[in-house]
Amino acid sequence: MCVFQSTINYFPEEVLEHVFDFLSSHRDRNAVSLVCKSWCRVERFSREKVFVGNCYAVSPERLLSTFPRVRSLTLKGKPHFADFNLVPPDWGGYLHPWIDAMVKARANLEELRLKRMVLSDDTLDLLAHSFPSFKSLVLVSCEGFTTDGLAAIAANCRSLRELDLQENEVEDRRGQWLSCFPDSCTSLVSLNFACLKGEVNLAALERLVARCPNLRSLRLNHAVPLDALQRILAQAPHLVDLGTGSFVHDPDSETYHKLKNAIQNCTSIRSLSGFLEVASRCLPSIYPLCSSLTSLNLSYAPGIYSNELVNLIRHCKKLERLWILDTIGDKGLGVVASTCKELQELRVFPFDPHGVGYTAVTEEGLVAVSAGCPKLNSILYFCQQMTNAALITVAKNCPNFIRFRLCTLNPTVPDAVTQLPLDEGFGAIVQSCKGLKRLSVSGLLTDQVFLYIGMYAEQLEMLSIAFAGESDKGMLYVLNGCKKLKKLEIRDSPFGDVALLADMGKYETMRSLWMSSCEVTLEACKKLAMKMPRLNVEIINENEQMEASTDDKQKVEKMYLYRTLVGPRKDAPAFVWTL
Amino acid sequence: MSTPLLGVGEEEGQSNVSLLTSSSSLDSSRQNGSVFKERNYMGLSECSSVDSSTISNISDGSNGSCLNLKATELRLGLPGSQSPERDSELCLVSSTKLDEKPLFPLHPLKDGNCSNLQRTITSGNKRGFSDAMDGFSEGKFSEVNVMLSPRPSLNSSMKSVSAKETTGTQAAKLKEVVPQSTVQERPRTVNESVSNRVGATSNNTGAPAPKAQVVGWPPVKSFRKNSLASTSKVAEEVDGKSGPGALFVKVSMDGAPYLRKVDLRTYSTYQDLSSALEKMFSCFTIGQCGSHGVEGKEVLSESKLKDLLHGSEYVLTYEDKDGDWMLVGDVPWEMFIDTCKRLRIMKSSDAIGLAPRAVEKNRSRN
């Protein structure tokens, strides 16, 4: 060991640093920093990209002192179930302290990627004014800001290359944020404002596109009509990724004709999305693009009917990623299976989750795709029904799943044919897919499925459970078996104190645990919090009765616990009680 | 296997535990003597006083009580899959949409003792999916009702819903409970209109019109849900149809006792539509219409239409957006779909002068 150390230390730190430069994954870098003190130090000072999976696991100040050269920061805030309204607003996940700390530390921030965080216009303004090299802002499922904040970014970030807004709740202030990009801004590579609800200044948009020769990715919102799209495409034929806004026009018009020509010139487009408003009669104009498309997202396009979807997909032989609505139907998925042989990722969203009048997809569609697409490794599938036989077949056909998320529209529906629980089906999936990292189960499920998961899902990092299981044993199987588990989220399942407290140390190896509407009592949570000071055990109680009550035996409605280096957070709202 | 997947509490205040589990686990837990605790999921402590200790009685004592609990059990499964005694009720609904695989048989509605379906508390060892919706007894009925589309069953269920709502103190509690809850979402497989109607019934009794639903299920990002909701609404306003996912229009046939509905989106040509309608209404037509339907689909449209128009006594017409009755077949299919509001299979005798011209047009087109 000593020999090894001295041999390694023979290399000057610059060399080590250069070697570490080739490590881009934060996991690799984390591993490297554990080797020895000097490697840790070199790695620390050379790390430019930092990933923080839970913004409350570490403080901004501590992060900056550990990684003083940070240039790119990824932050995730609210727990995943916040996406489904299970977390009350004002829970937390504020960006401001991070920007504040970085300003004070005079960090040279260039990139910021946020997921489920809350940020205000003031924060954006501060950000825009504080970091002269700021290049890239990616916001996913964030909220709290308005188009005024975007205007601040547009106006002040001179080197801005990327502004990517995905599925954020942005209040539209009817300002002219797009016009705030100065004429001197010519560096844009990626602009995505598809999630904005309001009008944009079309002339400003067209001028912006015209003066940004490096623009490769452009996603418009629904307020951009087809004629504007045509003019934009004429200016930006080198686009690689396009998200259309409104795609409605008279197919006999000259505009439409010009659009078709413009599209024919866009030979680089590989990724297509949008169609937020669409008339199917206009779709043939994009057929020329289809043969080279690798990614197609029509999940926000409810206006495309099954047979038209199918016609479109028949042209897309190179598709690797497809996001669609379940209006495509099982038959349509059959067409996907026979056409898209390169398909790796498929997401089928419910057109109307509480809907009527059409048949959502069933197990047939899934089986067809698994049979026809050998490279399939990631699936999110909302379906009306499922069977064990189908899942077993899918498992056999596709042993390469990395992400497997199945959501039956009725969360406890049994096997549609045998009426049995879906344990065996999911069991087959985890047994066959040895590389499975993410799994969401649904349907009627007993403890048995968790036995299988614990036994076979060795690489599993994230597991989502809802309305499943019968007893603490289920959760115990998972906690004991899945060694690489990082995130566990459970709702409406009968797991209680015994499971929660069985292996308290496990939670320090995980990022977080969410349990809502389970059988966990306040007493157990308190016990856990007391024994594990490096965990924050938060009780989310919207009734505000819980703290006052002295009954430790009462069940906890929502519990979120996560490992942290910095103790209870100071920005918790009244309804969050950190034990 | 025949499994009482959901137990139902009795009116007297014994709240059963709903277990979406196999009966074996239920047995074992009973043997272990575990007590199923009431869970106050809605945060409404006033409801937590319901005694749950009688769960074990309910499962095997269902014969003893005056209420036939077994019949009131909600079960997950295909109709008729577990309980033969329900067949008569299910016949009503089995004729259509069997492929929809309804989740809850209708029998609770037929059984007048269904007041016990109202349960204030989700409780016990397992919080079943239905438990999560327990605050919405009306909603629960809607779930039960909703599974199968035919209206006859809906009407009867609505009646039984109103009957139930007048029984039991638990009903009253639920009605108080419901407005306070924030639970809004609920998965649904069929017939939103059906459950809305049930919701309307419950409105009469004071509860809000629930889309009686489970929060956060199915797990679709709220951003996505809101987006799709608003864009579909736009499409609705534009088309006046029930959402772009399907385009159901009524089809009436002169002399038929009831109307049908077809989803125009499932067809791409007039030929498809014509043959589908023939099949659908063959039971009402005497003669050629039916037999042509049997023969096959690849026949030229001209001859088919001619047969439909000439050989039989009927003419296919539609009502457009302006309210005019038009002959089917004149405009391109896409335009037809956009403007058609309903279809009518009219007797030729009513369409004098119309039919021959139509044939001419078709001949020239084909």
Side-chain angles (χ1 to χ4, degrees):
Chain A
M1 189 58 186
C2 291
V3 173
F4 181 72
Q5 251 185 336
S6 60
T7 314
I8 288 296
N9 286 342
Y10 183 73
F11 288 119
E13 291 193 349
E14 293 81 13
V15 174
L16 277 179
E17 205 179 298
H18 184 67
V19 170
F20 294 166
D21 265 353
F22 292 97
L23 298 173
S24 48
S25 138
H26 66 272
R27 292 192 188 192
D28 290 340
R29 278 192 163 253
N30 288 346
V32 148
S33 66
L34 292 175
V35 168
C36 63
K37 277 200 185 131
S38 84
W39 278 39
C40 182
R41 196 178 61 245
V42 171
E43 197 285 313
R44 262 183 61 207
F45 283 100
S46 66
R47 196 186 300 209
E48 293 182 344
K49 281 200 175 136
V50 178
F51 171 83
V52 180
N54 174 5
C55 65
Y56 290 119
V58 66
S59 74
E61 291 76 23
R62 179 142 177 184
L63 185 98
L64 288 163
S65 64
T66 309
F67 303 112
R69 298 248 303 259
V70 59
R71 290 213 212 162
S72 161
L73 180 61
T74 303
L75 281 174
K76 294 192 182 180
K78 300 192 206 178
H80 176 229
F81 275 174
D83 280 349
F84 317 127
N85 297 336
L86 289 180
V87 176
D90 303 331
W91 173 86
Y94 302 109
L95 176 64
H96 197 87
W98 294 85
I99 303 296
D100 218 32
M102 279 189 278
V103 169
K104 291 201 176 98
R106 281 194 260 268
N108 185 17
L109 189 66
E110 291 181 5
E111 275 181 20
L112 192 59
R113 298 177 135 63
L114 305 178
K115 191 165 187 180
R116 284 190 285 272
M117 301 268 310
V118 178
L119 45 150
S120 65
D121 288 343
D122 288 341
T123 311
L124 283 172
D125 198 64
L126 180 60
L127 168 66
H129 283 103
S130 312
F131 306 111
S133 315
F134 192 74
K135 292 190 177 59
S136 163
L137 182 62
V138 179
L139 303 178
V140 179
S141 300
C142 297
E143 60 179 0
F145 59 104
T146 77
T147 47
D148 288 351
L150 297 178
I153 298 283
N156 298 296
C157 298
R158 296 296 157 92
S159 336
L160 194 68
R161 289 205 202 135
E162 181 176 21
L163 179 59
D164 185 0
L165 308 170
Q166 298 177 28
E167 300 181 330
N168 303 291
E169 297 286 353
V170 184
E171 188 190 319
D172 211 288
R173 285 270 170 91
R174 305 201 156 265
Q176 299 281 335
W177 70 274
L178 254 182
S179 323
C180 293
F181 281 104
D183 290 341
S184 53
C185 171
T186 58
S187 49
L188 271 186
V189 173
S190 165
L191 177 61
N192 171 8
F193 58 94
C195 64
L196 295 187
K197 308 276 193 312
E199 304 292 320
V200 287
N201 183 328
L202 295 176
L205 174 62
E206 290 167 35
R207 283 197 306 270
L208 179 63
V209 171
R211 66 176 182 271
C212 292
N214 298 325
L215 194 66
R216 293 291 172 269
S217 168
L218 180 63
R219 298 193 184 187
L220 311 168
N221 76 345
H222 76 97
V224 180
L226 194 137
D227 53 305
L229 174 66
Q230 175 265 310
R231 288 190 294 271
I232 287 170
L233 288 182
Q235 297 279 4
H238 300 299
L239 280 179
V240 171
D241 167 31
L242 172 65
T244 68
S246 164
F247 208 76
V248 181
H249 217 277
D250 177 5
D252 293 326
S253 64
E254 189 178 332
T255 303
Y256 185 76
H257 192 67
K258 282 195 209 163
L259 175 73
K260 284 207 289 193
N261 288 338
I263 288 179
Q264 299 239 328
N265 283 339
C266 294
T267 51
S268 311
I269 292 184
R270 297 287 170 272
S271 164
L272 193 56
S273 61
F275 301 96
L276 309 171
E277 248 168 41
V278 56
S280 353
R281 54 188 182 269
C282 296
L283 282 178
S285 61
I286 62 166
Y287 287 177
L289 297 175
C290 293
S291 50
S292 37
L293 277 186
T294 57
S295 167
L296 180 60
N297 180 354
L298 296 174
S299 62
Y300 280 102
I304 307 184
Y305 321 127
S306 173
N307 47 350
E308 285 133 359
L309 262 179
V310 161
N311 287 341
L312 189 64
I313 287 174
R314 273 193 221 277
H315 292 79
C316 303
K317 296 195 173 23
K318 293 210 188 133
L319 218 51
E320 292 171 14
R321 190 158 84 131
L322 176 61
W323 291 23
I324 35 167
L325 293 172
D326 60 1
T327 46
I328 191 173
D330 287 330
K331 288 215 183 74
L333 287 177
V335 175
V336 172
S338 53
T339 312
C340 309
K341 295 302 182 187
E342 303 295 316
L343 196 67
Q344 296 175 25
E345 176 181 334
L346 175 66
R347 295 197 191 188
V348 182
F349 294 96
F351 160 62
D352 186 352
H354 316 296
V356 58
Y358 73 105
T359 315
V361 293
T362 70
E363 75 276 10
E364 278 179 38
L366 182 60
V367 170
V369 176
S370 74
C373 306
K375 298 190 183 178
L376 195 63
N377 61 38
S378 169
I379 185 139
L380 170 61
Y381 197 73
F382 285 83
C383 56
Q384 196 156 42
Q385 64 186 52
M386 188 47 59
T387 65
N388 284 310
L391 285 174
I392 291 170
T393 309
V394 169
K396 245 188 279 192
N397 292 339
C398 290
N400 298 322
F401 274 119
I402 298 176
R403 283 179 290 277
F404 190 89
R405 294 195 279 166
L406 190 83
C407 293
T408 52
L409 293 176
N410 176 331
T412 51
V413 68
D415 181 313
V417 169
T418 66
Q419 303 311 308
L420 293 174
L422 290 175
D423 300 333
E424 297 303 314
F426 281 107
I429 295 284
V430 290
Q431 196 174 2
S432 163
C433 304
K434 310 229 184 298
L436 194 68
K437 288 197 180 163
R438 183 168 180 182
L439 178 65
S440 295
V441 296
S442 65
L444 183 63
L445 296 166
T446 70
D447 287 341
Q448 185 72 6
V449 70
F450 300 113
L451 173 68
Y452 291 141
I453 292 175
M455 212 159 36
Y456 296 113
E458 292 173 4
Q459 303 298 320
L460 196 66
E461 294 179 3
M462 182 168 175
L463 178 61
S464 307
I465 300 171
F467 302 98
E470 301 158 296
S471 72
D472 285 327
K473 283 201 280 188
M475 185 167 161
L476 285 170
Y477 290 140
V478 171
L479 291 175
N480 291 335
C482 299
K483 300 292 177 213
K484 296 207 176 170
L485 196 63
K486 294 235 158 349
K487 291 201 282 190
L488 181 57
E489 44 187 27
I490 306 174
R491 61 165 294 186
D492 295 278
S493 301
F495 306 136
D497 298 346
V498 171
L500 182 69
L501 299 178
D503 180 5
M504 298 194 250
K506 170 89 177 168
Y507 305 125
E508 278 191 3
T509 68
M510 290 167 53
R511 187 186 299 169
S512 65
L513 167 68
W514 169 281
M515 291 182 77
S516 61
S517 305
C518 297
E519 302 290 315
V520 171
T521 66
L522 184 55
E523 183 182 18
C525 293
K526 284 185 175 171
K527 214 187 274 184
L528 179 59
M530 200 147 63
K531 275 231 147 162
M532 308 294 298
R534 283 199 297 238
L535 295 181
N536 275 354
V537 180
E538 291 187 9
I539 310 293
I540 296 171
N541 175 39
E542 290 153 278
N543 289 335
E544 297 189 26
Q545 285 174 4
M546 201 156 242
E547 278 196 55
S549 146
T550 49
D551 180 11
D552 276 1
K553 294 287 183 206
Q554 64 175 308
K555 303 243 173 75
V556 161
E557 185 56 35
K558 292 177 185 172
M559 179 204 73
Y560 180 54
L561 68 82
Y562 51 90
R563 67 180 173 190
T564 176
L565 296 172
V566 290
R569 57 188 174 111
K570 301 184 182 50
D571 61 4
F575 58 79
V576 169
W577 180 22
T578 307
L579 297 174
Chain B
M1 56 182 169
S2 184
T3 306
L5 291 172
L6 295 174
V8 172
E10 290 187 79
E11 194 188 310
E12 297 85 279
Q14 292 170 338
S15 173
N16 202 339
V17 172
S18 158
L19 295 172
L20 283 169
T21 60
S22 62
S23 57
S24 55
S25 70
L26 177 59
D27 288 337
S28 61
S29 54
R30 259 188 287 136
Q31 284 157 16
N32 294 338
S34 63
V35 176
F36 299 111
K37 295 220 174 76
E38 297 288 336
R39 275 295 307 275
N40 192 354
Y41 283 90
M42 309 309 255
L44 299 154
S45 48
E46 68 269 19
C47 299
S48 56
S49 54
V50 179
D51 180 18
S52 65
S53 57
T54 52
I55 160 91
S56 44
N57 298 339
I58 301 225
S59 320
D60 40 32
S62 52
N63 304 322
S65 68
C66 52
L67 300 165
N68 187 356
L69 287 172
K70 202 153 172 61
T72 63
E73 282 167 356
L74 289 174
R75 300 186 184 187
L76 296 178
L78 294 173
S81 59
Q82 292 167 18
S83 42
E85 69 268 18
R86 300 197 196 103
D87 279 349
S88 54
E89 295 125 13
L90 293 166
C91 282
L92 238 188
V93 298
S94 60
S95 55
T96 59
K97 300 241 183 190
L98 269 182
D99 56 342
E100 298 261 350
K101 302 245 183 340
L103 297 169
F104 295 108
L106 283 184
H107 63 282
L109 307 176
K110 297 299 175 184
D111 189 337
N113 300 325
C114 283
S115 53
N116 8 329
L117 275 173
Q118 295 166 356
R119 298 171 51 248
T120 52
I121 306 295
T122 62
S123 53
N125 206 17
K126 157 123 187 147
R127 184 180 181 187
F129 161 61
S130 64
D131 295 4
M133 305 183 294
D134 75 331
F136 303 97
S137 64
E138 301 87 1
K140 193 174 272 193
F141 293 135
S142 79
E143 177 76 344
V144 178
N145 302 344
V146 150
M147 285 311 125
L148 300 160
S149 56
R151 299 224 181 88
S153 55
L154 168 63
N155 291 332
S156 63
S157 68
M158 273 169 61
K159 283 195 217 118
S160 36
V161 166
S162 18
K164 281 157 219 150
E165 281 164 5
T166 57
T167 57
T169 54
Q170 294 188 2
K173 275 189 193 158
L174 274 167
K175 279 173 247 153
E176 291 154 18
V177 161
V178 165
Q180 295 177 38
S181 96
T182 56
V183 174
Q184 282 308 317
E185 298 190 309
R186 176 176 177 146
R188 184 126 4 146
T189 51
V190 223
N191 277 343
E192 177 168 291
S193 57
V194 169
S195 47
N196 282 342
R197 238 182 276 170
V198 178
T201 315
S202 63
N203 263 335
N204 298 337
T205 59
K211 269 198 175 192
Q213 291 151 351
V214 180
V215 175
W217 196 272
V220 177
K221 269 190 190 170
S222 31
F223 178 87
R224 181 178 286 282
K225 260 203 267 250
N226 297 339
S227 288
L228 282 179
S230 56
T231 45
S232 331
K233 224 187 287 180
V234 167
E236 257 181 64
E237 285 155 12
V238 167
D239 295 342
K241 308 275 194 273
S242 58
L247 191 48
F248 279 98
V249 294
K250 286 187 192 169
V251 186
S252 60
M253 178 161 173
D254 291 355
Y258 49 81
L259 282 64
R260 301 295 302 269
K261 264 204 167 174
V262 290
D263 178 3
L264 290 180
R265 299 242 182 280
T266 57
Y267 313 113
S268 42
T269 63
Y270 285 116
Q271 196 175 324
D272 292 344
L273 176 64
S274 168
S275 28
L277 288 178
E278 275 183 56
K279 278 200 204 114
M280 211 181 247
F281 286 93
S282 58
C283 46
F284 300 121
T285 58
I286 312 149
Q288 286 107 330
C289 211
S291 57
H292 281 302
V294 169
E295 261 165 27
K297 309 108 193 167
E298 71 281 3
V299 184
L300 290 173
S301 57
E302 184 195 75
S303 59
K304 267 229 138 121
L305 267 169
K306 210 169 29 166
D307 289 334
L308 185 58
L309 297 170
H310 260 320
S312 79
E313 316 143 25
Y314 297 95
V315 167
L316 186 59
T317 61
Y318 71 100
E319 184 184 6
D320 71 357
K321 281 191 170 139
D322 303 322
D324 299 321
W325 286 95
M326 321 279 289
L327 188 70
V328 166
D330 287 336
V331 298
W333 177 257
E334 284 300 335
M335 202 186 295
F336 166 68
I337 292 196
D338 276 344
T339 55
C340 170
K341 277 173 56 189
R342 53 187 298 176
L343 289 163
R344 179 177 164 199
I345 304 177
M346 201 183 271
K347 277 211 171 69
S348 295
S349 47
D350 293 341
I352 285 175
L354 208 57
R357 254 189 290 133
V359 177
E360 294 301 322
K361 281 194 188 136
N362 286 325
R363 199 184 285 126
S364 60
R365 192 176 307 115
N366 294 330

